């Protein structure tokens, strides 16, 4: 890729821009970016970059309050 950026880094920067500019302004760029990436032979969607898994986070809330947290109200 140009300037040594990977497709993952380019997409991540694009997604971060949504918080500042809004999806309505970024969406046309996402569509164009996907076209450019496909033209360069990048297989979309890109692999997941998630660093956490949903089950442990969901399970913690289903088992009641976390005993390590301090009650700050009351």
């Amino acid at each position: 890729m140009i300037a040594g950026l990977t497709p993952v880094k380019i997409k991540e920067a694009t997604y971060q821009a949504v918080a500042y500019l809004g999806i309505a302004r970024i969406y046309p760029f996402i569509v164009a970016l996907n076209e450019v990436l496909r033209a360069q032979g990048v297989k979309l969607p890109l692999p997941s970059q998630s660093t956490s898994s949903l089950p442990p986070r969901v399970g913690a809330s289903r088992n009641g309050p976390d005993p390590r947290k301090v009650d700050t109200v009351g």
Side-chain angles (χ1 to χ4, degrees):
M1 302 283 356
I2 298 172
L5 295 174
T6 66
V8 170
K9 288 183 180 181
I10 295 168
K11 293 282 271 191
E12 181 62 28
T14 303
Y15 297 145
Q16 293 294 326
V18 172
Y20 298 99
L21 300 173
I23 191 66
R25 289 183 182 234
I26 296 298
Y27 186 75
F29 182 78
I30 291 172
V31 172
L33 175 60
N34 286 342
E35 291 175 9
V36 169
L37 290 175
R38 282 190 191 103
Q40 292 189 5
V42 176
K43 185 179 176 189
L44 297 176
L46 296 173
S48 174
Q49 302 298 305
S50 177
T51 58
S52 65
S53 60
L54 186 57
R57 294 187 294 153
V58 171
S61 63
R62 289 186 184 154
N63 296 329
D66 186 344
R68 296 171 292 177
K69 293 184 179 176
V70 177
D71 185 16
T72 56
V73 180

Coordinates of all heavy atoms in Angstrom, one line a residue:
M1 N 0.8 -1.2 0.0 CA 0.0 0.0 0.0 C 0.9 1.3 0.0 O 2.1 1.2 0.3 CB -0.9 0.0 1.2 CG -1.8 -1.1 1.4 SD -3.4 -1.4 0.5 CE -3.7 -0.1 -0.6
I2 N 0.3 2.4 -0.2 CA 1.0 3.6 -0.3 C 1.5 4.0 1.1 O 0.8 3.9 2.1 CB 0.1 4.7 -0.9 CG1 -0.3 4.3 -2.3 CG2 0.8 6.1 -0.9 CD1 -1.3 5.2 -3.0
A3 N 2.7 4.5 1.1 CA 3.3 5.1 2.4 C 3.4 4.0 3.5 O 3.5 4.3 4.6 CB 2.5 6.3 2.9
G4 N 3.4 2.7 3.1 CA 3.6 1.7 4.1 C 2.4 1.4 5.0 O 2.5 0.6 5.9
L5 N 1.3 1.9 4.6 CA 0.1 1.7 5.4 C -0.6 0.4 5.0 O -0.7 0.1 3.8 CB -0.9 2.8 5.3 CG -0.5 4.2 5.9 CD1 -1.5 5.3 5.6 CD2 -0.2 4.1 7.4
T6 N -1.1 -0.4 5.9 CA -1.8 -1.6 5.6 C -3.2 -1.3 5.4 O -3.7 -0.3 5.9 CB -1.6 -2.7 6.7 OG1 -2.3 -2.2 7.9 CG2 -0.2 -2.9 7.0
P7 N -4.0 -2.2 4.7 CA -5.4 -2.0 4.5 C -6.1 -1.9 5.9 O -7.0 -1.1 6.1 CB -5.9 -3.2 3.8 CG -4.7 -3.6 3.0 CD -3.5 -3.3 3.9
V8 N -5.7 -2.6 6.9 CA -6.3 -2.6 8.2 C -6.1 -1.2 8.8 O -7.0 -0.6 9.4 CB -5.7 -3.7 9.1 CG1 -6.1 -3.5 10.6 CG2 -6.1 -5.0 8.6
K9 N -4.9 -0.6 8.7 CA -4.7 0.7 9.3 C -5.5 1.8 8.6 O -6.0 2.7 9.2 CB -3.2 1.0 9.2 CG -2.4 0.2 10.2 CD -0.9 0.6 10.2 CE -0.1 -0.2 11.2 NZ 1.3 0.2 11.3
I10 N -5.6 1.6 7.3 CA -6.4 2.6 6.5 C -7.8 2.6 6.9 O -8.5 3.6 7.1 CB -6.2 2.4 5.0 CG1 -4.7 2.6 4.6 CG2 -7.1 3.3 4.2 CD1 -4.4 2.2 3.2
K11 N -8.4 1.4 7.0 CA -9.8 1.2 7.4 C -10.0 1.7 8.8 O -11.0 2.4 9.1 CB -10.2 -0.2 7.2 CG -10.3 -0.8 5.8 CD -11.5 -0.3 5.1 CE -12.6 -1.3 5.3 NZ -13.7 -1.0 4.4
E12 N -9.1 1.4 9.7 CA -9.2 1.9 11.1 C -9.2 3.4 11.2 O -10.1 4.0 11.9 CB -8.1 1.3 12.0 CG -8.2 1.7 13.4 CD -9.4 1.2 14.1 OE1 -9.9 0.1 13.7 OE2 -9.8 1.8 15.1
A13 N -8.4 4.1 10.4 CA -8.4 5.5 10.4 C -9.7 6.1 9.9 O -10.2 7.1 10.4 CB -7.2 6.0 9.6
T14 N -10.2 5.4 8.9 CA -11.5 5.8 8.3 C -12.6 5.6 9.4 O -13.4 6.6 9.5 CB -11.8 4.9 7.1 OG1 -10.7 5.1 6.1 CG2 -13.1 5.4 6.4
Y15 N -12.6 4.5 10.1 CA -13.7 4.3 11.1 C -13.5 5.3 12.2 O -14.5 5.8 12.8 CB -13.6 2.9 11.6 CG -13.9 1.8 10.6 CD1 -13.2 0.6 10.6 CD2 -14.8 2.0 9.5 CE1 -13.5 -0.4 9.7 CE2 -15.0 1.1 8.6 CZ -14.4 -0.1 8.7 OH -14.6 -1.1 7.7
Q16 N -12.3 5.7 12.6 CA -12.1 6.7 13.7 C -12.7 8.0 13.2 O -13.1 8.8 14.1 CB -10.6 6.8 14.0 CG -10.1 5.5 14.7 CD -10.7 5.2 16.0 OE1 -11.0 6.2 16.8 NE2 -10.8 4.0 16.3
A17 N -12.6 8.3 12.0 CA -13.1 9.6 11.5 C -14.6 9.8 11.6 O -15.1 10.9 11.7 CB -12.7 9.8 10.0
V18 N -15.3 8.6 11.7 CA -16.8 8.7 11.9 C -17.2 9.5 13.1 O -18.1 10.2 13.2 CB -17.4 7.3 11.9 CG1 -18.9 7.3 12.3 CG2 -17.2 6.6 10.5
A19 N -16.4 9.3 14.2 CA -16.7 10.0 15.5 C -16.6 11.5 15.3 O -17.3 12.2 16.0 CB -15.8 9.5 16.6
Y20 N -15.8 12.0 14.4 CA -15.6 13.4 14.3 C -16.4 14.0 13.2 O -16.9 15.2 13.3 CB -14.1 13.7 14.0 CG -13.2 13.3 15.1 CD1 -12.5 12.1 15.1 CD2 -13.1 14.0 16.3 CE1 -11.7 11.6 16.1 CE2 -12.2 13.7 17.3 CZ -11.6 12.4 17.2 OH -10.8 12.1 18.3
L21 N -16.6 13.3 12.1 CA -17.3 13.8 11.0 C -18.8 13.3 10.7 O -19.5 13.9 10.0 CB -16.5 13.5 9.7 CG -15.1 14.1 9.7 CD1 -14.3 13.7 8.5 CD2 -15.2 15.6 9.7
G22 N -19.0 12.1 11.4 CA -20.4 11.5 11.2 C -20.4 10.5 10.0 O -19.6 10.7 9.0
I23 N -21.2 9.5 10.2 CA -21.3 8.5 9.1 C -21.7 9.0 7.8 O -21.3 8.5 6.7 CB -22.1 7.3 9.6 CG1 -21.9 6.1 8.7 CG2 -23.6 7.6 9.8 CD1 -20.6 5.4 8.7
A24 N -22.6 10.0 7.8 CA -23.1 10.5 6.5 C -22.0 11.1 5.7 O -22.1 11.0 4.4 CB -24.2 11.6 6.8
R25 N -21.0 11.7 6.3 CA -19.9 12.3 5.5 C -18.9 11.2 5.2 O -18.2 11.4 4.1 CB -19.3 13.4 6.3 CG -20.1 14.6 6.4 CD -19.4 15.7 7.1 NE -20.2 16.9 7.2 CZ -19.9 18.1 6.8 NH1 -18.7 18.3 6.2 NH2 -20.8 19.1 6.9
I26 N -18.7 10.2 6.0 CA -17.7 9.2 5.8 C -18.1 8.1 4.8 O -17.3 7.5 4.1 CB -17.2 8.6 7.1 CG1 -16.6 9.8 8.0 CG2 -16.3 7.5 7.0 CD1 -15.3 10.4 7.4
Y27 N -19.4 7.8 4.8 CA -19.9 6.6 4.0 C -19.4 6.7 2.6 O -19.0 5.6 2.1 CB -21.4 6.5 4.2 CG -21.9 5.3 3.5 CD1 -21.8 4.0 4.1 CD2 -22.5 5.3 2.2 CE1 -22.2 2.9 3.5 CE2 -23.0 4.2 1.6 CZ -22.8 3.0 2.2 OH -23.2 1.8 1.6
P28 N -19.6 7.8 1.9 CA -19.1 7.8 0.5 C -17.6 7.4 0.3 O -17.2 6.8 -0.6 CB -19.4 9.2 0.0 CG -20.5 9.7 0.8 CD -20.2 9.1 2.2
F29 N -16.8 7.9 1.3 CA -15.4 7.6 1.3 C -15.2 6.1 1.6 O -14.3 5.5 1.0 CB -14.7 8.4 2.4 CG -13.2 8.2 2.4 CD1 -12.4 8.7 1.4 CD2 -12.6 7.4 3.3 CE1 -11.0 8.5 1.4 CE2 -11.3 7.1 3.3 CZ -10.5 7.7 2.4
I30 N -16.0 5.5 2.5 CA -15.8 4.1 2.7 C -16.1 3.3 1.5 O -15.4 2.3 1.2 CB -16.8 3.6 3.9 CG1 -16.3 4.3 5.2 CG2 -16.8 2.1 4.0 CD1 -17.2 4.0 6.4
V31 N -17.2 3.6 0.8 CA -17.5 3.0 -0.5 C -16.4 3.1 -1.5 O -15.9 2.1 -2.1 CB -18.8 3.5 -1.1 CG1 -19.1 3.0 -2.5 CG2 -20.0 3.2 -0.1
A32 N -15.8 4.3 -1.7 CA -14.7 4.5 -2.6 C -13.5 3.8 -2.1 O -12.8 3.2 -3.0 CB -14.4 6.0 -2.7
L33 N -13.2 3.8 -0.8 CA -12.0 3.1 -0.3 C -12.1 1.6 -0.6 O -11.2 0.9 -1.0 CB -11.9 3.3 1.2 CG -10.8 2.5 1.9 CD1 -9.4 2.9 1.3 CD2 -10.8 2.9 3.4
N34 N -13.3 1.0 -0.4 CA -13.5 -0.4 -0.7 C -13.3 -0.7 -2.1 O -12.6 -1.8 -2.5 CB -14.9 -0.9 -0.3 CG -15.0 -1.0 1.2 OD1 -14.1 -1.0 2.0 ND2 -16.3 -1.0 1.7
E35 N -13.7 0.1 -3.0 CA -13.4 -0.1 -4.5 C -12.0 0.0 -4.8 O -11.4 -0.9 -5.5 CB -14.2 1.0 -5.3 CG -15.7 0.9 -5.3 CD -16.4 2.0 -6.0 OE1 -15.7 2.9 -6.6 OE2 -17.6 2.1 -5.9
V36 N -11.2 0.9 -4.2 CA -9.8 1.0 -4.4 C -9.1 -0.2 -3.8 O -8.2 -0.8 -4.5 CB -9.2 2.3 -3.7 CG1 -7.7 2.3 -3.7 CG2 -9.7 3.5 -4.5
L37 N -9.5 -0.7 -2.6 CA -8.8 -1.8 -2.1 C -9.1 -3.1 -2.9 O -8.2 -3.9 -3.1 CB -9.3 -2.0 -0.6 CG -8.8 -1.0 0.4 CD1 -9.5 -1.2 1.8 CD2 -7.3 -1.0 0.5
R38 N -10.3 -3.3 -3.4 CA -10.6 -4.4 -4.2 C -9.8 -4.3 -5.5 O -9.3 -5.4 -6.0 CB -12.1 -4.5 -4.5 CG -12.9 -5.0 -3.4 CD -14.4 -5.3 -3.9 NE -15.2 -5.5 -2.7 CZ -16.0 -4.6 -2.1 NH1 -16.2 -3.4 -2.7 NH2 -16.7 -5.0 -1.1
A39 N -9.7 -3.1 -6.1 CA -8.9 -3.0 -7.3 C -7.4 -3.4 -7.1 O -6.8 -3.8 -8.1 CB -9.0 -1.6 -7.8
Q40 N -6.9 -3.2 -5.9 CA -5.6 -3.5 -5.6 C -5.4 -5.0 -5.1 O -4.4 -5.4 -4.7 CB -5.0 -2.6 -4.6 CG -4.9 -1.2 -5.1 CD -4.1 -0.2 -4.2 OE1 -3.6 -0.7 -3.1 NE2 -4.0 1.0 -4.6
G41 N -6.5 -5.7 -5.2 CA -6.4 -7.2 -4.9 C -6.6 -7.5 -3.4 O -6.3 -8.6 -3.0
V42 N -7.1 -6.6 -2.6 CA -7.4 -6.8 -1.2 C -8.7 -7.5 -1.1 O -9.7 -7.0 -1.6 CB -7.3 -5.5 -0.4 CG1 -7.7 -5.8 1.1 CG2 -6.0 -4.8 -0.5
K43 N -8.7 -8.6 -0.3 CA -10.0 -9.4 -0.1 C -10.7 -8.7 1.0 O -10.2 -8.5 2.1 CB -9.7 -10.8 0.2 CG -10.9 -11.7 0.3 CD -10.6 -13.1 0.6 CE -11.9 -13.9 0.8 NZ -11.7 -15.2 1.3
L44 N -12.0 -8.4 0.7 CA -12.9 -7.7 1.7 C -14.0 -8.7 2.1 O -14.4 -9.5 1.2 CB -13.4 -6.4 1.2 CG -12.4 -5.3 0.9 CD1 -13.1 -4.1 0.4 CD2 -11.6 -5.0 2.2
P45 N -14.5 -8.7 3.3 CA -14.1 -7.9 4.4 C -12.7 -8.3 5.0 O -12.3 -9.5 4.8 CB -15.2 -8.1 5.5 CG -15.7 -9.4 5.2 CD -15.6 -9.6 3.7
L46 N -12.0 -7.4 5.6 CA -10.8 -7.6 6.2 C -11.0 -8.5 7.5 O -12.0 -8.5 8.1 CB -10.1 -6.3 6.7 CG -9.7 -5.4 5.5 CD1 -9.2 -4.1 6.1 CD2 -8.7 -6.0 4.6
P47 N -9.9 -9.3 7.9 CA -10.1 -10.1 9.1 C -10.4 -9.3 10.3 O -9.9 -8.1 10.4 CB -8.7 -10.8 9.2 CG -8.0 -10.6 7.8 CD -8.6 -9.4 7.2
S48 N -11.1 -9.9 11.2 CA -11.4 -9.2 12.5 C -10.2 -8.8 13.2 O -9.2 -9.5 13.3 CB -12.3 -10.1 13.4 OG -12.5 -9.4 14.6
Q49 N -10.2 -7.6 13.8 CA -9.1 -7.1 14.6 C -9.4 -7.0 16.1 O -8.7 -6.4 16.9 CB -8.6 -5.7 14.1 CG -8.3 -5.7 12.7 CD -7.1 -6.5 12.4 OE1 -6.0 -6.4 13.0 NE2 -7.2 -7.4 11.4
S50 N -10.5 -7.7 16.5 CA -11.0 -7.6 17.8 C -10.0 -8.2 18.8 O -9.4 -9.2 18.5 CB -12.3 -8.4 17.9 OG -12.8 -8.4 19.2
T51 N -9.8 -7.6 19.9 CA -8.9 -8.1 21.0 C -9.6 -8.6 22.2 O -9.0 -9.0 23.2 CB -7.9 -7.0 21.4 OG1 -8.7 -5.8 21.9 CG2 -7.1 -6.6 20.2
S52 N -11.0 -8.5 22.2 CA -11.7 -9.1 23.3 C -12.8 -10.0 22.8 O -13.2 -9.9 21.6 CB -12.3 -7.9 24.1 OG -13.3 -7.2 23.4
S53 N -13.3 -10.8 23.6 CA -14.4 -11.7 23.2 C -15.7 -11.4 23.9 O -15.6 -10.9 25.1 CB -14.0 -13.2 23.4 OG -13.8 -13.4 24.8
L54 N -16.8 -11.5 23.3 CA -18.1 -11.2 23.9 C -18.5 -12.1 25.0 O -18.9 -11.5 26.1 CB -19.1 -11.2 22.8 CG -20.5 -10.7 23.2 CD1 -20.4 -9.2 23.7 CD2 -21.5 -10.7 22.0
P55 N -18.3 -13.4 25.0 CA -18.8 -14.2 26.1 C -18.3 -13.8 27.5 O -19.1 -13.7 28.4 CB -18.4 -15.6 25.7 CG -18.4 -15.6 24.2 CD -17.9 -14.2 23.9
P56 N -17.0 -13.6 27.7 CA -16.6 -13.2 29.1 C -17.3 -11.9 29.6 O -17.6 -11.7 30.7 CB -15.1 -13.0 29.0 CG -14.7 -13.9 27.9 CD -15.9 -13.8 26.9
R57 N -17.4 -10.9 28.7 CA -18.0 -9.6 29.1 C -19.5 -9.8 29.4 O -20.0 -9.3 30.3 CB -17.8 -8.6 28.0 CG -16.3 -8.2 27.8 CD -16.2 -7.1 26.8 NE -16.6 -7.5 25.5 CZ -17.1 -6.7 24.6 NH1 -17.2 -5.4 24.8 NH2 -17.4 -7.1 23.4
V58 N -20.2 -10.6 28.5 CA -21.6 -10.8 28.8 C -21.8 -11.6 30.0 O -22.7 -11.3 30.8 CB -22.3 -11.5 27.5 CG1 -23.7 -11.9 27.8 CG2 -22.2 -10.5 26.4
G59 N -21.0 -12.7 30.2 CA -21.2 -13.5 31.3 C -21.0 -12.8 32.7 O -21.6 -13.1 33.7
A60 N -20.1 -11.9 32.7 CA -19.8 -11.1 33.9 C -21.0 -10.4 34.4 O -21.3 -10.3 35.6 CB -18.6 -10.2 33.7
S61 N -21.8 -9.8 33.5 CA -22.9 -9.0 33.9 C -24.1 -9.9 34.3 O -24.9 -9.6 35.1 CB -23.4 -8.1 32.7 OG -23.8 -8.9 31.6
R62 N -24.1 -11.1 33.7 CA -25.2 -12.1 34.1 C -25.0 -12.7 35.4 O -26.0 -13.2 36.0 CB -25.3 -13.2 33.0 CG -25.9 -12.7 31.7 CD -26.1 -13.8 30.7 NE -26.5 -13.2 29.5 CZ -26.3 -13.8 28.3 NH1 -25.7 -15.0 28.2 NH2 -26.7 -13.3 27.2
N63 N -23.8 -12.7 36.0 CA -23.5 -13.3 37.2 C -23.6 -12.4 38.4 O -23.1 -12.6 39.5 CB -22.2 -14.0 37.2 CG -22.1 -15.1 36.2 OD1 -23.1 -15.8 35.9 ND2 -20.9 -15.3 35.6
G64 N -24.2 -11.2 38.2 CA -24.4 -10.3 39.3 C -23.2 -9.3 39.2 O -22.4 -9.3 38.4
P65 N -23.2 -8.4 40.2 CA -22.2 -7.3 40.2 C -20.8 -7.9 40.4 O -20.6 -9.0 41.1 CB -22.5 -6.4 41.4 CG -23.6 -7.2 42.2 CD -24.1 -8.3 41.3
D66 N -19.8 -7.2 39.9 CA -18.4 -7.6 40.1 C -17.9 -7.3 41.5 O -18.0 -6.2 41.9 CB -17.6 -6.9 39.0 CG -16.1 -7.3 39.0 OD1 -15.7 -8.0 39.9 OD2 -15.4 -7.0 38.0
P67 N -17.6 -8.3 42.3 CA -17.2 -8.1 43.7 C -15.9 -7.2 43.8 O -15.6 -6.6 44.8 CB -16.9 -9.5 44.2 CG -16.7 -10.3 43.0 CD -17.4 -9.7 41.9
R68 N -15.2 -7.1 42.7 CA -13.9 -6.2 42.7 C -14.3 -4.8 42.6 O -13.4 -3.9 43.0 CB -13.0 -6.6 41.6 CG -12.5 -8.1 41.7 CD -11.8 -8.5 40.5 NE -12.8 -8.5 39.4 CZ -12.4 -8.8 38.1 NH1 -11.2 -9.0 37.8 NH2 -13.4 -8.9 37.2
K69 N -15.5 -4.4 42.2 CA -15.8 -3.0 42.0 C -16.4 -2.5 43.4 O -17.0 -3.1 44.1 CB -16.9 -2.9 41.0 CG -16.4 -3.2 39.6 CD -17.4 -2.9 38.5 CE -16.9 -3.2 37.2 NZ -17.9 -3.1 36.1
V70 N -16.0 -1.2 43.6 CA -16.4 -0.6 44.8 C -17.7 0.2 44.6 O -17.9 0.9 43.6 CB -15.3 0.4 45.3 CG1 -15.8 1.2 46.5 CG2 -14.0 -0.3 45.5
D71 N -18.7 0.0 45.6 CA -19.9 0.7 45.5 C -19.7 2.2 45.8 O -19.3 2.5 46.9 CB -20.9 0.1 46.4 CG -22.3 0.7 46.3 OD1 -22.6 1.3 45.3 OD2 -23.1 0.5 47.2
T72 N -20.0 3.0 44.8 CA -19.7 4.5 45.0 C -21.0 5.3 45.3 O -20.9 6.4 45.6 CB -19.0 5.1 43.8 OG1 -19.9 4.8 42.7 CG2 -17.7 4.4 43.6
V73 N -22.1 4.6 45.3 CA -23.4 5.3 45.6 C -24.0 4.8 46.9 O -24.0 3.6 47.1 CB -24.4 5.1 44.4 CG1 -25.7 5.8 44.7 CG2 -23.8 5.5 43.1
G74 N -24.4 5.7 47.8 CA -25.1 5.2 49.0 C -24.2 5.4 50.1 O -23.8 5.5 51.1

